[in-house]
């Protein structure tokens, strides 16, 4: 195998392909990136850990075709560190020699025959705008659990009904829902998939900038798999197995009290007041006519408070939140104002966005946060 490739093209492709390689692979070959060079002038880089696969195709000047397997993380580090010159890659016996300008690296190869076959891309389910997908996934994934002992809750539930896609995630303390439109391959498509939030977030971030993203899906027929493709890159992931809890019913049907506050002002005030909030202690928000007062800390500990202008409809109400969960919800909103809708001080509070004080709240993104009980 022998080929020459642009340094930046190689570095980007190797870094992307190797991004999900396991730190401690169950077998050594899973730490590798497979490089396939063919006479058509295409290099395909592949990685697979039995759960997530990645493929990236790049153009190159191929003089000898071939296939090798080398350490993915090491190749990624080397390719990023090379000078800005063309890169020559040559297979020499059991070693791969990487030359770029005056720099020369030699990497040991792994037995490519021991590398598992990558899964094929499932059938195309539809396409979605990359930027909207990236934004929507970021808004929802903040609410997914990081606790691997509850694998169901580490996923994002993807509900597809025709042209509408709904993303849902919860960690039992908050719930995020985002609706978006896409172009389905079949107008009457109706399916559900549970995708690991980390995998979905990574795919959306890395492929979203390519424009339109193709989504492929296979459920109920052997291996349940989701795939994403854009800009010459493909990634697949096994779906999470299990029945996701019926979380939609947690959103309240009626909210007799609501408050409207500047999203940016509330987030900045919450950051300042949270500086004195000890671990696992809440920020309290006391809403009354014309204002909301944030405060944290009590007794002999450090204390902080700040008042902001707010519009309140209904009775005065005081709630307390985990500071980080509050900031996650505010950070996910992209509107000028946030609307907090209440049913009771101890019941979940719904966050939605609106562009003006007297405008309608935008229901395509909803963030539900469970308050923390506090001593009166």
């Amino acid at each position: 195998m022998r080929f020459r490739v642009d340094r930046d093209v190689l570095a980007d492709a190797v870094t992307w392909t190797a991004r999900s390689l396991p730190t401690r692979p169950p077998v050594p070959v899973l730490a590798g990136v497979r490089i396939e060079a063919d006479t058509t002038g295409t290099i395909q880089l592949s990685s697979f850990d039995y759960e997530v696969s990645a493929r990236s195709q790049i153009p190159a000047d191929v003089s000898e075709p071939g296939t090798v397997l080398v350490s993915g993380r090491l190749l990624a580090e080397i390719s990023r560190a090379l000078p800005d010159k063309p890169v020559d890659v040559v297979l020499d016996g059991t070693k791969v020699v990487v030359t770029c300008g005056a720099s020369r690296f030699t990497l040991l190869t792994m037995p490519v025959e021991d590398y598992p076959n990558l899964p094929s891309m499932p059938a195309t389910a539809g396409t979605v705008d990359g930027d909207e997908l990236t934004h929507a996934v970021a808004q929802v994934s903040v609410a997914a659990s990081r606790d691997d002992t509850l694998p169901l809750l580490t996923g994002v539930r993807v509900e597809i009904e025709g042209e509408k896609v709904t993303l849902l995630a919860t960690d039992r303390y908050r719930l995020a829902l985002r609706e978006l439109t896409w172009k389905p391959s079949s107008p009457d498509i109706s399916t559900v998939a549970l995708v690991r939030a980390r995998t979905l977030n990574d795919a959306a971030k890395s492929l979203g900038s390519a424009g339109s993203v193709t989504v492929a899906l296979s459920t109920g027929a052997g291996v349940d798999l989701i795939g994403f493709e854009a800009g010459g890159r493909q990634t697949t992931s096994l779906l999470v197995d299990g029945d996701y809890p019926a979380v939609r019913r947690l959103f309240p049907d009626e909210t007799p009290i609501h408050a409207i506050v500047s999203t940016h002002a509330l987030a900045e005030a919450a950051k300042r007041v949270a500086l004195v909030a000890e671990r696992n202690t809440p920020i309290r928000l006391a809403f009354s006519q014309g204002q909301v007062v944030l405060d944290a800390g009590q007794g002999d500990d450090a204390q902080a408070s700040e008042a902001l202008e707010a519009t309140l409809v209904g009775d005065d109400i005081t709630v307390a939140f985990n500071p980080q969960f509050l900031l996650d919800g505010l950070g996910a909103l992209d509107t000028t104002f946030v609307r907090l809708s209440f049913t009771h001080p101890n019941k979940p509070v719904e966050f939605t966005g609106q562009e003006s004080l007297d405008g309608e709240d935008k229901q395509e993104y909803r963030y539900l946060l469970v308050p923390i009980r506090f001593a009166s």
Side-chain angles (χ1 to χ4, degrees):
M1 185 183 74
R2 181 187 298 269
F3 63 86
R4 170 170 283 196
V5 64
D6 180 83
R7 178 260 183 192
D8 288 342
V9 171
L10 177 66
D12 287 347
V14 174
T15 299
W16 183 82
T17 307
R19 75 200 188 288
S20 58
L21 288 175
T23 307
R24 295 183 178 86
V27 289
V29 292
L30 295 185
V33 162
R34 187 174 65 189
I35 306 173
E36 299 174 73
D38 64 42
T39 52
T40 62
T42 300
I43 304 297
Q44 179 167 281
L45 305 162
S46 309
S47 66
F48 186 38
D49 65 357
Y50 290 116
E51 180 181 310
V52 178
S53 76
R55 297 180 181 88
S56 182
Q57 286 192 345
I58 55 174
D61 180 9
V62 179
S63 49
E64 292 180 20
T67 303
V68 297
L69 184 68
V70 295
S71 168
R73 295 190 188 280
L74 183 57
L75 181 60
E77 291 175 0
I78 289 172
S79 61
R80 289 194 298 266
L82 292 173
D84 190 13
K85 294 181 179 180
V87 182
D88 289 299
V89 180
V90 179
L91 175 62
D92 183 10
T94 59
K95 297 178 181 180
V96 169
V97 180
V98 179
T99 308
C100 181
S103 299
R104 186 176 186 272
F105 292 87
T106 302
L107 288 78
L108 289 174
T109 61
M110 302 179 190
V112 71
E113 63 274 9
D114 293 344
Y115 200 70
N117 293 323
L118 273 69
S120 301
M121 279 287 283
T124 297
T127 58
V128 62
D129 178 78
D131 289 337
E132 186 171 7
L133 176 66
T134 303
H135 184 48
V137 169
Q139 286 181 304
V140 170
S141 60
V142 296
S145 176
R146 275 73 166 168
D147 184 359
D148 289 330
T149 62
L150 296 169
L152 269 181
L153 300 187
T154 64
V156 172
R157 179 178 168 91
V158 182
E159 301 175 352
I160 301 173
E161 289 291 339
E163 295 183 347
K164 186 171 81 171
V165 178
T166 304
L167 307 177
L168 287 155
T170 183
D171 61 3
R172 297 179 299 166
Y173 305 105
R174 64 259 181 87
L175 166 63
L177 177 152
R178 171 65 198 270
E179 295 178 343
L180 65 155
T181 57
W182 77 328
K183 296 177 181 177
S185 298
S186 172
D188 58 353
I189 186 172
S190 177
T191 189
V192 173
L194 187 57
V195 190
R196 286 169 181 80
R198 183 174 61 248
T199 302
L200 184 60
N201 206 24
D202 181 56
K205 272 189 202 175
S206 62
L207 298 178
S209 60
S212 179
V213 177
T214 298
V215 182
L217 197 59
S218 172
T219 59
V223 178
D224 290 344
L225 202 66
I226 192 167
F228 301 91
E229 182 175 4
R233 294 175 176 177
Q234 295 180 354
T235 184
T236 67
S237 174
L238 292 176
L239 298 179
V240 182
D241 188 30
D243 296 323
Y244 203 69
V247 293
R248 277 180 177 269
R249 59 182 174 79
L250 299 176
F251 287 104
D253 294 326
E254 295 181 354
T255 50
I257 305 169
H258 72 262
I260 302 167
V261 192
S262 163
T263 307
H264 177 74
L266 183 57
E268 291 301 305
K271 288 176 187 176
R272 288 188 287 268
V273 172
L275 293 173
V276 302
E278 297 292 334
R279 182 176 177 83
N280 298 324
T281 61
I283 290 180
R284 292 177 293 277
L285 284 73
F287 291 90
S288 57
Q289 294 302 320
Q291 71 171 10
V292 55
V293 177
L294 294 79
D295 71 89
Q298 57 186 353
D300 296 330
D301 297 329
Q303 299 178 41
S305 67
E306 185 166 340
L308 294 176
E309 184 179 344
T311 299
L312 178 67
V313 175
D315 298 334
D316 293 0
I317 190 168
T318 299
V319 292
F321 295 122
N322 173 298
Q324 190 56 56
F325 291 177
L326 172 62
L327 289 169
D328 285 344
L330 295 174
L333 289 166
D334 54 6
T335 51
T336 306
F337 293 93
V338 56
R339 176 179 177 136
L340 294 85
S341 301
F342 309 91
T343 55
H344 183 275
N346 294 325
K347 296 289 186 181
V349 180
E350 183 177 352
F351 291 64
T352 51
Q354 55 190 73
E355 294 299 344
S356 62
L357 277 172
D358 55 356
E360 290 292 321
D361 61 324
K362 301 172 71 174
Q363 291 283 308
E364 61 263 27
Y365 179 68
R366 303 162 76 185
Y367 183 80
L368 198 67
L369 181 57
V370 177
I372 297 173
R373 293 178 182 269
F374 62 95
S376 302

